[in-house]
Amino acid sequence: MSTTGATADPLAALGSLPGVAESVESVRKAVDRVYGHRIMRRRSNEITSEAALRGSRGSAALAGADWALEEVRRRTDFGGDAEARTVGAALRLTAEAGQLLSIWRQSPLRVLARLHLVAAADKADQVGRPRQEGEPVDEPLVELPLPGAAEAHGRLEGLAELIIAGGSAPALVTAAVVHGELMALRPFTSHNGLVARAAERIVLIGSGLDPKSVCPAEVGHAELGRAAYLAALDGYVSGTPEGMAAWIAHCGRAVELGARESTAVCEALQRGAA
């Protein structure tokens, strides 16, 4: 995404793209339905915990580790094969995201570095910092053109400036742009998808749209499928108004599906209490 141009608030300008206002309103209604559920008034902590687990599972699935929910719930050791490490990374990121909300608006680059450090869970030189020229990127399921390190650094700085400046853009638009830009840039040598989806979660929580983190967009992204996810990302990378609007709508639908998932959890808990 270009952060230069005639408008002083390019994120807000995206809100005027065709169909985006409708997506924003649809997301708001879906989130309101969850928060208005009677179970949320008494057992919101349980809903938040379950949403975190399901969101982690969804993010890991998009990264190639498509485990059943009960397997994620049952396992305690995630240090084995590559899939187990991916699921473990997704779980750690979801837990970490809630601890970084106060830092995000002041220093988003610091938060992104921390997320990568948590995801990678090692002390290699390339962990916790943007990649340098010539360093390979391990993101085999994403085949988008990879910007050079210098371009990635510049655009990452521009994204951070927009977040720090704030603005009037709806939370959905900001979350979608943060997610899409990180996927387009893949600024780290690994785990970019997991980090991008964790950053999307941070924006949705920190904006006040989903303060209790009970509408896991990762669930919706996984439910919509990897093919649709990558096709929508292609639209974002194209930079066209139609492509950008389609990506924002895709992210909006993902949030709605995450809200629907938590509504189903509320209904199950209500039946169990009856």
Side-chain angles (χ1 to χ4, degrees), residues 3 105 108-109 154-166:
T3 59
R105 285 295 297 271
L109 296 183
R155 287 172 60 178
L156 201 59
E157 290 280 357
L159 180 65
E161 289 171 7
L162 287 177
I163 293 165
I164 293 168

Side-chain angles (χ1 to χ4, degrees), residues 46 69 103 115 135 139 198 217 221 234 240:
E46 292 175 66
L69 179 64
I103 305 172
L115 290 174
E135 288 184 329
E139 208 77 37
H221 286 303
D234 278 337
T240 65

Side-chain angles (χ1 to χ4, degrees), residues 158-234:
L159 180 65
E161 289 171 7
L162 287 177
I163 293 165
I164 293 168
S168 58
L172 171 64
V173 172
T174 303
V177 168
V178 167
H179 185 169
E181 193 71 353
L182 291 173
M183 290 302 292
L185 299 179
R186 276 146 293 158
F188 302 106
T189 57
S190 64
H191 300 90
N192 290 287
L194 294 176
V195 168
R197 292 183 287 276
E200 179 185 44
R201 172 183 285 266
I202 288 172
V203 174
L204 293 171
I205 299 169
S207 66
L209 176 64
D210 182 21
K212 294 182 182 293
S213 192
V214 296
C215 302
E218 306 97 321
V219 167
H221 286 303
E223 185 173 336
L224 291 167
R226 189 182 300 144
Y229 181 71
L230 295 176
L233 271 173
D234 278 337

